[in-house]
Amino acid sequence: MRPGPLNLITDVPGLLVGQAQDAALRSGVTVLTADRPFTAAVHVMGGAPGTRETDLLAPDRLVQEVDALVLSGGSAFGLDACSGVADALRNLGRGFAVGNQRVPIVPGAILFDLLNGGDKAWSHNPYAIMGRAALRSASREFPLGTAGAGYGASTQNWKGGIGSASAILPAGLTVGALVAVNALGSVTVGDSRQFWAAPWEEGTEFGGLGPAPRRPPQDAPVPRKRMGESTTIAIVATDAALTQAQAQRMAIAAHDGMARAIVPSHTPLDGDLVFAAATGARALTDPLTDTFQLGHAAATCLARAIARAVFSATLQPGDLQPAWASRS
């Protein structure tokens, strides 16, 4: 496998990512969309998820494709970002046809960033507006680190953020990952700056420091956040033609990447979740081998994307945590 030309999820042809954030609020929204509906699935492994329209992503449901996927800050308030995206898509004539109406299908997930020092004293929920703005900005290139849904994110010891990575498989299929990292656990080993994801790094995409020379003592971790204050939410995507069931298996496999990059992950205090998206542009040539490799690539891309999110985070006034890049 090798990274795509942008090393972003948008190396999957047809996919676009848009982001919007509010510096005073210290929060934001990230949207994945395409020029046509795409197959989507989801798998949740965290104990405190916050979601919208994820039930319809089960393989036995009527609707098999979506118009966009949303990652948002704001805890439960952030789910309103999906409404803003749906409104904007409806104005564009997008959505599931029901008679003479169009109903955009926009599942989403949120992370908790309500205690990060931002001004949360709003009287009207701001997330729908940010959702619309994020959709309007959708393009192939987008910033990592302190942006979108990761604008106010945090981890155990560093600022969190938005990350992405991609890989092209030997068969020509493309896989990408997009993640908002707001984990209870740590993405670095002990007190070092080395990332847990280092064995999967491509080149120097998150510093090139390599694995930590030794692992820290394996003491039982103590949570530094409270129930519901964490959550890493992600999307893995491919240009392969997958059924919804196959996409769900890719989402399940991608959770391995989260566990490789965040220690601990999938805790009762996190709402860890992975969406999977498949555009269907390329047929599988060997369904068994191809789906096997897609799952591995999705996990690898997600681990790399998580490290890139923290690596790319930048200092902002009033930060409660240091940015990885600010410490040497």
Side-chain angles (χ1 to χ4, degrees), residues 40-46 51 54 57 69 71 109 176-179 232-237 247-248 250-258 266 271-277 298-299 302 306:
V42 69
H43 192 255
V44 181
M45 287 190 69
T51 61
T54 51
L57 298 180
L69 294 169
L71 309 178
L178 176 68
V179 61
T232 296
I233 46 180
I235 304 169
V236 293
Q248 186 179 53
M250 187 171 73
I252 292 169
H255 275 284
D256 287 354
M258 197 177 293
H266 305 133
D272 295 344
L273 168 154
V274 178
F275 289 109
L302 183 51
I306 289 168

PDB file of all heavy atoms in Angstrom, residues 40-46 51 54 57 69 71 109 176-179 232-237 247-248 250-258 266 271-277 298-299 302 306:
ATOM      1  N   ALA A  40     -23.332   3.568   2.905  1.00  0.00           N
ATOM      2  CA  ALA A  40     -22.737   3.892   4.201  1.00  0.00           C
ATOM      3  C   ALA A  40     -23.178   2.881   5.250  1.00  0.00           C
ATOM      4  O   ALA A  40     -24.239   2.256   5.149  1.00  0.00           O
ATOM      5  CB  ALA A  40     -23.139   5.302   4.640  1.00  0.00           C
ATOM      6  N   ALA A  41     -22.325   2.716   6.248  1.00  0.00           N
ATOM      7  CA  ALA A  41     -22.586   1.820   7.369  1.00  0.00           C
ATOM      8  C   ALA A  41     -21.927   2.424   8.600  1.00  0.00           C
ATOM      9  O   ALA A  41     -21.215   3.436   8.517  1.00  0.00           O
ATOM     10  CB  ALA A  41     -22.036   0.422   7.081  1.00  0.00           C
ATOM     11  N   VAL A  42     -22.140   1.793   9.759  1.00  0.00           N
ATOM     12  CA  VAL A  42     -21.579   2.327  10.997  1.00  0.00           C
ATOM     13  C   VAL A  42     -21.340   1.201  11.990  1.00  0.00           C
ATOM     14  O   VAL A  42     -22.008   0.165  11.940  1.00  0.00           O
ATOM     15  CB  VAL A  42     -22.536   3.380  11.618  1.00  0.00           C
ATOM     16  CG1 VAL A  42     -23.814   2.725  12.135  1.00  0.00           C
ATOM     17  CG2 VAL A  42     -21.847   4.172  12.730  1.00  0.00           C
ATOM     18  N   HIS A  43     -20.362   1.419  12.864  1.00  0.00           N
ATOM     19  CA  HIS A  43     -20.150   0.497  13.979  1.00  0.00           C
ATOM     20  C   HIS A  43     -19.696   1.304  15.185  1.00  0.00           C
ATOM     21  O   HIS A  43     -18.791   2.135  15.083  1.00  0.00           O
ATOM     22  CB  HIS A  43     -19.111  -0.573  13.642  1.00  0.00           C
ATOM     23  CG  HIS A  43     -19.076  -1.682  14.639  1.00  0.00           C
ATOM     24  ND1 HIS A  43     -18.086  -1.812  15.577  1.00  0.00           N
ATOM     25  CD2 HIS A  43     -19.942  -2.711  14.856  1.00  0.00           C
ATOM     26  CE1 HIS A  43     -18.318  -2.885  16.331  1.00  0.00           C
ATOM     27  NE2 HIS A  43     -19.440  -3.441  15.916  1.00  0.00           N
ATOM     28  N   VAL A  44     -20.347   1.082  16.318  1.00  0.00           N
ATOM     29  CA  VAL A  44     -20.085   1.817  17.561  1.00  0.00           C
ATOM     30  C   VAL A  44     -19.421   0.884  18.564  1.00  0.00           C
ATOM     31  O   VAL A  44     -19.909  -0.220  18.812  1.00  0.00           O
ATOM     32  CB  VAL A  44     -21.388   2.374  18.160  1.00  0.00           C
ATOM     33  CG1 VAL A  44     -21.092   3.158  19.441  1.00  0.00           C
ATOM     34  CG2 VAL A  44     -22.126   3.246  17.150  1.00  0.00           C
ATOM     35  N   MET A  45     -18.304   1.322  19.158  1.00  0.00           N
ATOM     36  CA  MET A  45     -17.645   0.524  20.189  1.00  0.00           C
ATOM     37  C   MET A  45     -17.456   1.281  21.493  1.00  0.00           C
ATOM     38  O   MET A  45     -17.060   0.702  22.493  1.00  0.00           O
ATOM     39  CB  MET A  45     -16.303  -0.012  19.686  1.00  0.00           C
ATOM     40  CG  MET A  45     -16.449  -1.141  18.677  1.00  0.00           C
ATOM     41  SD  MET A  45     -14.904  -1.989  18.291  1.00  0.00           S
ATOM     42  CE  MET A  45     -14.562  -2.835  19.837  1.00  0.00           C
ATOM     43  N   GLY A  46     -17.697   2.579  21.498  1.00  0.00           N
ATOM     44  CA  GLY A  46     -17.591   3.341  22.730  1.00  0.00           C
ATOM     45  C   GLY A  46     -18.851   3.221  23.566  1.00  0.00           C
ATOM     46  O   GLY A  46     -19.930   2.884  23.061  1.00  0.00           O
ATOM     47  N   THR A  51     -25.474  10.130  18.427  1.00  0.00           N
ATOM     48  CA  THR A  51     -25.628   9.914  16.991  1.00  0.00           C
ATOM     49  C   THR A  51     -26.987  10.368  16.473  1.00  0.00           C
ATOM     50  O   THR A  51     -27.934  10.549  17.232  1.00  0.00           O
ATOM     51  CB  THR A  51     -25.471   8.418  16.640  1.00  0.00           C
ATOM     52  OG1 THR A  51     -26.498   7.675  17.320  1.00  0.00           O
ATOM     53  CG2 THR A  51     -24.113   7.896  17.052  1.00  0.00           C
ATOM     54  N   THR A  54     -28.381   6.730  12.706  1.00  0.00           N
ATOM     55  CA  THR A  54     -27.505   5.577  12.510  1.00  0.00           C
ATOM     56  C   THR A  54     -28.284   4.270  12.405  1.00  0.00           C
ATOM     57  O   THR A  54     -27.778   3.310  11.811  1.00  0.00           O
ATOM     58  CB  THR A  54     -26.481   5.468  13.650  1.00  0.00           C
ATOM     59  OG1 THR A  54     -27.164   5.537  14.912  1.00  0.00           O
ATOM     60  CG2 THR A  54     -25.458   6.584  13.558  1.00  0.00           C
ATOM     61  N   LEU A  57     -28.653   2.765   8.945  1.00  0.00           N
ATOM     62  CA  LEU A  57     -27.471   2.243   8.279  1.00  0.00           C
ATOM     63  C   LEU A  57     -27.303   0.735   8.443  1.00  0.00           C
ATOM     64  O   LEU A  57     -26.352   0.164   7.912  1.00  0.00           O
ATOM     65  CB  LEU A  57     -26.210   2.954   8.802  1.00  0.00           C
ATOM     66  CG  LEU A  57     -26.161   4.466   8.557  1.00  0.00           C
ATOM     67  CD1 LEU A  57     -24.882   5.044   9.118  1.00  0.00           C
ATOM     68  CD2 LEU A  57     -26.283   4.778   7.071  1.00  0.00           C
ATOM     69  N   LEU A  69     -22.212  12.546   5.507  1.00  0.00           N
ATOM     70  CA  LEU A  69     -21.953  12.105   6.873  1.00  0.00           C
ATOM     71  C   LEU A  69     -21.364  13.288   7.624  1.00  0.00           C
ATOM     72  O   LEU A  69     -20.540  14.031   7.078  1.00  0.00           O
ATOM     73  CB  LEU A  69     -20.972  10.929   6.901  1.00  0.00           C
ATOM     74  CG  LEU A  69     -21.462   9.622   6.274  1.00  0.00           C
ATOM     75  CD1 LEU A  69     -20.308   8.640   6.124  1.00  0.00           C
ATOM     76  CD2 LEU A  69     -22.583   9.002   7.112  1.00  0.00           C
ATOM     77  N   LEU A  71     -19.548  14.873  11.191  1.00  0.00           N
ATOM     78  CA  LEU A  71     -18.853  14.795  12.469  1.00  0.00           C
ATOM     79  C   LEU A  71     -18.925  16.184  13.090  1.00  0.00           C
ATOM     80  O   LEU A  71     -18.642  17.184  12.417  1.00  0.00           O
ATOM     81  CB  LEU A  71     -17.386  14.390  12.289  1.00  0.00           C
ATOM     82  CG  LEU A  71     -17.107  13.139  11.449  1.00  0.00           C
ATOM     83  CD1 LEU A  71     -15.601  12.907  11.338  1.00  0.00           C
ATOM     84  CD2 LEU A  71     -17.799  11.921  12.036  1.00  0.00           C
ATOM     85  N   ALA A 109     -22.501  12.059  13.967  1.00  0.00           N
ATOM     86  CA  ALA A 109     -22.050  11.708  15.318  1.00  0.00           C
ATOM     87  C   ALA A 109     -21.367  12.920  15.930  1.00  0.00           C
ATOM     88  O   ALA A 109     -20.833  13.777  15.215  1.00  0.00           O
ATOM     89  CB  ALA A 109     -21.097  10.514  15.271  1.00  0.00           C
ATOM     90  N   GLY A 176      -9.505   5.619   2.471  1.00  0.00           N
ATOM     91  CA  GLY A 176      -9.120   6.809   3.217  1.00  0.00           C
ATOM     92  C   GLY A 176      -9.809   6.846   4.566  1.00  0.00           C
ATOM     93  O   GLY A 176     -10.802   6.145   4.788  1.00  0.00           O
ATOM     94  N   ALA A 177      -9.275   7.656   5.459  1.00  0.00           N
ATOM     95  CA  ALA A 177      -9.862   7.824   6.794  1.00  0.00           C
ATOM     96  C   ALA A 177      -9.931   9.302   7.137  1.00  0.00           C
ATOM     97  O   ALA A 177      -9.066  10.095   6.732  1.00  0.00           O
ATOM     98  CB  ALA A 177      -9.037   7.082   7.843  1.00  0.00           C
ATOM     99  N   LEU A 178     -10.957   9.663   7.879  1.00  0.00           N
ATOM    100  CA  LEU A 178     -11.178  11.016   8.384  1.00  0.00           C
ATOM    101  C   LEU A 178     -11.609  10.876   9.826  1.00  0.00           C
ATOM    102  O   LEU A 178     -12.502  10.073  10.131  1.00  0.00           O
ATOM    103  CB  LEU A 178     -12.273  11.706   7.563  1.00  0.00           C
ATOM    104  CG  LEU A 178     -12.729  13.105   7.988  1.00  0.00           C
ATOM    105  CD1 LEU A 178     -11.617  14.118   7.758  1.00  0.00           C
ATOM    106  CD2 LEU A 178     -13.990  13.510   7.216  1.00  0.00           C
ATOM    107  N   VAL A 179     -10.992  11.630  10.753  1.00  0.00           N
ATOM    108  CA  VAL A 179     -11.268  11.405  12.164  1.00  0.00           C
ATOM    109  C   VAL A 179     -11.193  12.702  12.952  1.00  0.00           C
ATOM    110  O   VAL A 179     -10.374  13.576  12.670  1.00  0.00           O
ATOM    111  CB  VAL A 179     -10.275  10.363  12.748  1.00  0.00           C
ATOM    112  CG1 VAL A 179      -8.835  10.853  12.646  1.00  0.00           C
ATOM    113  CG2 VAL A 179     -10.619   9.992  14.183  1.00  0.00           C
ATOM    114  N   THR A 232     -13.907   9.658  20.072  1.00  0.00           N
ATOM    115  CA  THR A 232     -13.236   9.774  18.788  1.00  0.00           C
ATOM    116  C   THR A 232     -14.202   9.257  17.729  1.00  0.00           C
ATOM    117  O   THR A 232     -14.667   8.121  17.822  1.00  0.00           O
ATOM    118  CB  THR A 232     -11.925   8.974  18.789  1.00  0.00           C
ATOM    119  OG1 THR A 232     -11.033   9.554  19.757  1.00  0.00           O
ATOM    120  CG2 THR A 232     -11.270   9.002  17.413  1.00  0.00           C
ATOM    121  N   ILE A 233     -14.529  10.109  16.765  1.00  0.00           N
ATOM    122  CA  ILE A 233     -15.499   9.757  15.730  1.00  0.00           C
ATOM    123  C   ILE A 233     -14.806   9.799  14.378  1.00  0.00           C
ATOM    124  O   ILE A 233     -14.027  10.716  14.102  1.00  0.00           O
ATOM    125  CB  ILE A 233     -16.727  10.683  15.764  1.00  0.00           C
ATOM    126  CG1 ILE A 233     -16.333  12.153  15.883  1.00  0.00           C
ATOM    127  CG2 ILE A 233     -17.650  10.288  16.918  1.00  0.00           C
ATOM    128  CD1 ILE A 233     -17.505  13.124  15.914  1.00  0.00           C
ATOM    129  N   ALA A 234     -15.078   8.804  13.537  1.00  0.00           N
ATOM    130  CA  ALA A 234     -14.294   8.646  12.320  1.00  0.00           C
ATOM    131  C   ALA A 234     -15.150   8.169  11.155  1.00  0.00           C
ATOM    132  O   ALA A 234     -16.239   7.625  11.341  1.00  0.00           O
ATOM    133  CB  ALA A 234     -13.156   7.653  12.560  1.00  0.00           C
ATOM    134  N   ILE A 235     -14.606   8.355   9.957  1.00  0.00           N
ATOM    135  CA  ILE A 235     -15.179   7.824   8.722  1.00  0.00           C
ATOM    136  C   ILE A 235     -14.049   7.142   7.957  1.00  0.00           C
ATOM    137  O   ILE A 235     -12.961   7.726   7.800  1.00  0.00           O
ATOM    138  CB  ILE A 235     -15.776   8.932   7.831  1.00  0.00           C
ATOM    139  CG1 ILE A 235     -16.829   9.743   8.589  1.00  0.00           C
ATOM    140  CG2 ILE A 235     -16.384   8.332   6.559  1.00  0.00           C
ATOM    141  CD1 ILE A 235     -17.263  11.025   7.863  1.00  0.00           C
ATOM    142  N   VAL A 236     -14.269   5.925   7.505  1.00  0.00           N
ATOM    143  CA  VAL A 236     -13.353   5.287   6.552  1.00  0.00           C
ATOM    144  C   VAL A 236     -14.117   5.126   5.251  1.00  0.00           C
ATOM    145  O   VAL A 236     -15.324   4.878   5.253  1.00  0.00           O
ATOM    146  CB  VAL A 236     -12.822   3.944   7.067  1.00  0.00           C
ATOM    147  CG1 VAL A 236     -11.914   4.164   8.269  1.00  0.00           C
ATOM    148  CG2 VAL A 236     -13.930   2.978   7.413  1.00  0.00           C
ATOM    149  N   ALA A 237     -13.417   5.288   4.145  1.00  0.00           N
ATOM    150  CA  ALA A 237     -14.098   5.304   2.848  1.00  0.00           C
ATOM    151  C   ALA A 237     -13.270   4.595   1.794  1.00  0.00           C
ATOM    152  O   ALA A 237     -12.043   4.489   1.905  1.00  0.00           O
ATOM    153  CB  ALA A 237     -14.360   6.745   2.415  1.00  0.00           C
ATOM    154  N   ALA A 247     -19.632  -2.900   3.852  1.00  0.00           N
ATOM    155  CA  ALA A 247     -19.164  -1.628   4.401  1.00  0.00           C
ATOM    156  C   ALA A 247     -19.131  -1.680   5.924  1.00  0.00           C
ATOM    157  O   ALA A 247     -18.206  -1.143   6.563  1.00  0.00           O
ATOM    158  CB  ALA A 247     -20.057  -0.486   3.915  1.00  0.00           C
ATOM    159  N   GLN A 248     -20.114  -2.321   6.516  1.00  0.00           N
ATOM    160  CA  GLN A 248     -20.130  -2.443   7.975  1.00  0.00           C
ATOM    161  C   GLN A 248     -18.928  -3.246   8.470  1.00  0.00           C
ATOM    162  O   GLN A 248     -18.312  -2.905   9.478  1.00  0.00           O
ATOM    163  CB  GLN A 248     -21.426  -3.101   8.441  1.00  0.00           C
ATOM    164  CG  GLN A 248     -21.571  -3.118   9.960  1.00  0.00           C
ATOM    165  CD  GLN A 248     -22.881  -3.758  10.385  1.00  0.00           C
ATOM    166  OE1 GLN A 248     -23.196  -4.877   9.983  1.00  0.00           O
ATOM    167  NE2 GLN A 248     -23.642  -3.036  11.193  1.00  0.00           N
ATOM    168  N   MET A 250     -16.054  -3.312   7.067  1.00  0.00           N
ATOM    169  CA  MET A 250     -14.906  -2.413   6.971  1.00  0.00           C
ATOM    170  C   MET A 250     -14.857  -1.470   8.170  1.00  0.00           C
ATOM    171  O   MET A 250     -13.781  -1.187   8.714  1.00  0.00           O
ATOM    172  CB  MET A 250     -14.951  -1.632   5.663  1.00  0.00           C
ATOM    173  CG  MET A 250     -13.697  -0.809   5.424  1.00  0.00           C
ATOM    174  SD  MET A 250     -13.591  -0.068   3.771  1.00  0.00           S
ATOM    175  CE  MET A 250     -14.819   1.234   3.904  1.00  0.00           C
ATOM    176  N   ALA A 251     -16.025  -0.977   8.598  1.00  0.00           N
ATOM    177  CA  ALA A 251     -16.080  -0.112   9.776  1.00  0.00           C
ATOM    178  C   ALA A 251     -15.626  -0.857  11.023  1.00  0.00           C
ATOM    179  O   ALA A 251     -14.901  -0.312  11.864  1.00  0.00           O
ATOM    180  CB  ALA A 251     -17.499   0.431   9.961  1.00  0.00           C
ATOM    181  N   ILE A 252     -16.049  -2.106  11.157  1.00  0.00           N
ATOM    182  CA  ILE A 252     -15.646  -2.915  12.312  1.00  0.00           C
ATOM    183  C   ILE A 252     -14.137  -3.096  12.323  1.00  0.00           C
ATOM    184  O   ILE A 252     -13.472  -2.916  13.354  1.00  0.00           O
ATOM    185  CB  ILE A 252     -16.368  -4.280  12.290  1.00  0.00           C
ATOM    186  CG1 ILE A 252     -17.873  -4.094  12.527  1.00  0.00           C
ATOM    187  CG2 ILE A 252     -15.775  -5.225  13.335  1.00  0.00           C
ATOM    188  CD1 ILE A 252     -18.691  -5.343  12.258  1.00  0.00           C
ATOM    189  N   ALA A 253     -13.572  -3.457  11.166  1.00  0.00           N
ATOM    190  CA  ALA A 253     -12.128  -3.662  11.086  1.00  0.00           C
ATOM    191  C   ALA A 253     -11.366  -2.379  11.389  1.00  0.00           C
ATOM    192  O   ALA A 253     -10.284  -2.411  12.001  1.00  0.00           O
ATOM    193  CB  ALA A 253     -11.754  -4.180   9.695  1.00  0.00           C
ATOM    194  N   ALA A 254     -11.917  -1.230  10.986  1.00  0.00           N
ATOM    195  CA  ALA A 254     -11.226   0.040  11.192  1.00  0.00           C
ATOM    196  C   ALA A 254     -11.036   0.367  12.664  1.00  0.00           C
ATOM    197  O   ALA A 254     -10.099   1.099  13.024  1.00  0.00           O
ATOM    198  CB  ALA A 254     -11.997   1.163  10.501  1.00  0.00           C
ATOM    199  N   HIS A 255     -11.895  -0.165  13.525  1.00  0.00           N
ATOM    200  CA  HIS A 255     -11.728   0.079  14.955  1.00  0.00           C
ATOM    201  C   HIS A 255     -10.384  -0.437  15.462  1.00  0.00           C
ATOM    202  O   HIS A 255      -9.873   0.056  16.473  1.00  0.00           O
ATOM    203  CB  HIS A 255     -12.865  -0.579  15.743  1.00  0.00           C
ATOM    204  CG  HIS A 255     -14.097   0.265  15.830  1.00  0.00           C
ATOM    205  ND1 HIS A 255     -14.204   1.364  16.667  1.00  0.00           N
ATOM    206  CD2 HIS A 255     -15.288   0.174  15.199  1.00  0.00           C
ATOM    207  CE1 HIS A 255     -15.398   1.897  16.550  1.00  0.00           C
ATOM    208  NE2 HIS A 255     -16.082   1.206  15.659  1.00  0.00           N
ATOM    209  N   ASP A 256      -9.793  -1.435  14.780  1.00  0.00           N
ATOM    210  CA  ASP A 256      -8.454  -1.888  15.166  1.00  0.00           C
ATOM    211  C   ASP A 256      -7.462  -0.734  15.090  1.00  0.00           C
ATOM    212  O   ASP A 256      -6.561  -0.619  15.925  1.00  0.00           O
ATOM    213  CB  ASP A 256      -7.982  -3.019  14.248  1.00  0.00           C
ATOM    214  CG  ASP A 256      -8.693  -4.329  14.507  1.00  0.00           C
ATOM    215  OD1 ASP A 256      -9.482  -4.399  15.472  1.00  0.00           O
ATOM    216  OD2 ASP A 256      -8.466  -5.283  13.744  1.00  0.00           O
ATOM    217  N   GLY A 257      -7.619   0.116  14.087  1.00  0.00           N
ATOM    218  CA  GLY A 257      -6.734   1.265  13.946  1.00  0.00           C
ATOM    219  C   GLY A 257      -6.873   2.237  15.096  1.00  0.00           C
ATOM    220  O   GLY A 257      -5.889   2.842  15.544  1.00  0.00           O
ATOM    221  N   MET A 258      -8.099   2.413  15.580  1.00  0.00           N
ATOM    222  CA  MET A 258      -8.309   3.288  16.723  1.00  0.00           C
ATOM    223  C   MET A 258      -7.596   2.731  17.955  1.00  0.00           C
ATOM    224  O   MET A 258      -6.951   3.467  18.716  1.00  0.00           O
ATOM    225  CB  MET A 258      -9.807   3.455  16.985  1.00  0.00           C
ATOM    226  CG  MET A 258     -10.146   4.647  17.860  1.00  0.00           C
ATOM    227  SD  MET A 258     -11.933   4.886  18.109  1.00  0.00           S
ATOM    228  CE  MET A 258     -12.456   5.316  16.455  1.00  0.00           C
ATOM    229  N   HIS A 266     -12.081   2.893  23.213  1.00  0.00           N
ATOM    230  CA  HIS A 266     -13.347   2.162  23.347  1.00  0.00           C
ATOM    231  C   HIS A 266     -13.757   1.988  24.808  1.00  0.00           C
ATOM    232  O   HIS A 266     -14.294   0.953  25.203  1.00  0.00           O
ATOM    233  CB  HIS A 266     -13.236   0.783  22.673  1.00  0.00           C
ATOM    234  CG  HIS A 266     -12.815   0.842  21.243  1.00  0.00           C
ATOM    235  ND1 HIS A 266     -11.837   0.029  20.727  1.00  0.00           N
ATOM    236  CD2 HIS A 266     -13.213   1.637  20.225  1.00  0.00           C
ATOM    237  CE1 HIS A 266     -11.655   0.303  19.437  1.00  0.00           C
ATOM    238  NE2 HIS A 266     -12.499   1.274  19.114  1.00  0.00           N
ATOM    239  N   GLY A 271     -17.380   7.732  23.224  1.00  0.00           N
ATOM    240  CA  GLY A 271     -18.450   7.330  22.316  1.00  0.00           C
ATOM    241  C   GLY A 271     -17.888   6.891  20.984  1.00  0.00           C
ATOM    242  O   GLY A 271     -18.458   7.185  19.938  1.00  0.00           O
ATOM    243  N   ASP A 272     -16.768   6.184  21.019  1.00  0.00           N
ATOM    244  CA  ASP A 272     -16.017   5.850  19.807  1.00  0.00           C
ATOM    245  C   ASP A 272     -16.891   5.170  18.753  1.00  0.00           C
ATOM    246  O   ASP A 272     -17.590   4.192  19.028  1.00  0.00           O
ATOM    247  CB  ASP A 272     -14.840   4.945  20.156  1.00  0.00           C
ATOM    248  CG  ASP A 272     -13.814   5.647  21.034  1.00  0.00           C
ATOM    249  OD1 ASP A 272     -13.858   6.878  21.124  1.00  0.00           O
ATOM    250  OD2 ASP A 272     -12.979   4.946  21.628  1.00  0.00           O
ATOM    251  N   LEU A 273     -16.781   5.682  17.535  1.00  0.00           N
ATOM    252  CA  LEU A 273     -17.666   5.265  16.446  1.00  0.00           C
ATOM    253  C   LEU A 273     -16.931   5.409  15.126  1.00  0.00           C
ATOM    254  O   LEU A 273     -16.142   6.338  14.944  1.00  0.00           O
ATOM    255  CB  LEU A 273     -18.913   6.150  16.464  1.00  0.00           C
ATOM    256  CG  LEU A 273     -19.898   6.161  15.312  1.00  0.00           C
ATOM    257  CD1 LEU A 273     -21.278   6.576  15.810  1.00  0.00           C
ATOM    258  CD2 LEU A 273     -19.459   7.134  14.198  1.00  0.00           C
ATOM    259  N   VAL A 274     -17.194   4.477  14.197  1.00  0.00           N
ATOM    260  CA  VAL A 274     -16.639   4.563  12.838  1.00  0.00           C
ATOM    261  C   VAL A 274     -17.763   4.390  11.822  1.00  0.00           C
ATOM    262  O   VAL A 274     -18.476   3.378  11.839  1.00  0.00           O
ATOM    263  CB  VAL A 274     -15.558   3.493  12.597  1.00  0.00           C
ATOM    264  CG1 VAL A 274     -15.053   3.584  11.150  1.00  0.00           C
ATOM    265  CG2 VAL A 274     -14.393   3.644  13.574  1.00  0.00           C
ATOM    266  N   PHE A 275     -17.924   5.379  10.949  1.00  0.00           N
ATOM    267  CA  PHE A 275     -18.759   5.234   9.757  1.00  0.00           C
ATOM    268  C   PHE A 275     -17.898   4.640   8.645  1.00  0.00           C
ATOM    269  O   PHE A 275     -16.681   4.852   8.600  1.00  0.00           O
ATOM    270  CB  PHE A 275     -19.264   6.594   9.272  1.00  0.00           C
ATOM    271  CG  PHE A 275     -20.292   7.252  10.135  1.00  0.00           C
ATOM    272  CD1 PHE A 275     -19.974   8.381  10.878  1.00  0.00           C
ATOM    273  CD2 PHE A 275     -21.592   6.770  10.192  1.00  0.00           C
ATOM    274  CE1 PHE A 275     -20.922   9.019  11.660  1.00  0.00           C
ATOM    275  CE2 PHE A 275     -22.556   7.394  10.974  1.00  0.00           C
ATOM    276  CZ  PHE A 275     -22.213   8.517  11.716  1.00  0.00           C
ATOM    277  N   ALA A 276     -18.528   3.931   7.725  1.00  0.00           N
ATOM    278  CA  ALA A 276     -17.861   3.492   6.501  1.00  0.00           C
ATOM    279  C   ALA A 276     -18.648   4.012   5.314  1.00  0.00           C
ATOM    280  O   ALA A 276     -19.881   4.049   5.334  1.00  0.00           O
ATOM    281  CB  ALA A 276     -17.766   1.973   6.440  1.00  0.00           C
ATOM    282  N   ALA A 277     -17.929   4.430   4.270  1.00  0.00           N
ATOM    283  CA  ALA A 277     -18.547   4.936   3.052  1.00  0.00           C
ATOM    284  C   ALA A 277     -17.925   4.246   1.853  1.00  0.00           C
ATOM    285  O   ALA A 277     -16.706   4.028   1.821  1.00  0.00           O
ATOM    286  CB  ALA A 277     -18.338   6.449   2.947  1.00  0.00           C
ATOM    287  N   ALA A 298      -8.218   0.104   6.015  1.00  0.00           N
ATOM    288  CA  ALA A 298      -9.025   1.055   6.778  1.00  0.00           C
ATOM    289  C   ALA A 298      -8.465   1.231   8.186  1.00  0.00           C
ATOM    290  O   ALA A 298      -8.383   2.358   8.701  1.00  0.00           O
ATOM    291  CB  ALA A 298     -10.472   0.584   6.834  1.00  0.00           C
ATOM    292  N   ALA A 299      -8.071   0.128   8.827  1.00  0.00           N
ATOM    293  CA  ALA A 299      -7.496   0.210  10.176  1.00  0.00           C
ATOM    294  C   ALA A 299      -6.175   0.969  10.153  1.00  0.00           C
ATOM    295  O   ALA A 299      -5.904   1.815  11.024  1.00  0.00           O
ATOM    296  CB  ALA A 299      -7.301  -1.194  10.740  1.00  0.00           C
ATOM    297  N   LEU A 302      -6.781   4.699   9.566  1.00  0.00           N
ATOM    298  CA  LEU A 302      -7.358   5.368  10.727  1.00  0.00           C
ATOM    299  C   LEU A 302      -6.299   5.604  11.800  1.00  0.00           C
ATOM    300  O   LEU A 302      -6.255   6.677  12.413  1.00  0.00           O
ATOM    301  CB  LEU A 302      -8.527   4.558  11.287  1.00  0.00           C
ATOM    302  CG  LEU A 302      -9.260   5.192  12.472  1.00  0.00           C
ATOM    303  CD1 LEU A 302      -9.666   6.637  12.172  1.00  0.00           C
ATOM    304  CD2 LEU A 302     -10.486   4.364  12.842  1.00  0.00           C
ATOM    305  N   ILE A 306      -5.314   9.404  13.051  1.00  0.00           N
ATOM    306  CA  ILE A 306      -5.397   9.842  14.448  1.00  0.00           C
ATOM    307  C   ILE A 306      -4.109  10.543  14.861  1.00  0.00           C
ATOM    308  O   ILE A 306      -4.130  11.625  15.471  1.00  0.00           O
ATOM    309  CB  ILE A 306      -5.705   8.635  15.360  1.00  0.00           C
ATOM    310  CG1 ILE A 306      -7.155   8.184  15.146  1.00  0.00           C
ATOM    311  CG2 ILE A 306      -5.440   8.973  16.827  1.00  0.00           C
ATOM    312  CD1 ILE A 306      -7.486   6.838  15.764  1.00  0.00           C
TER     313      ILE A 306
END
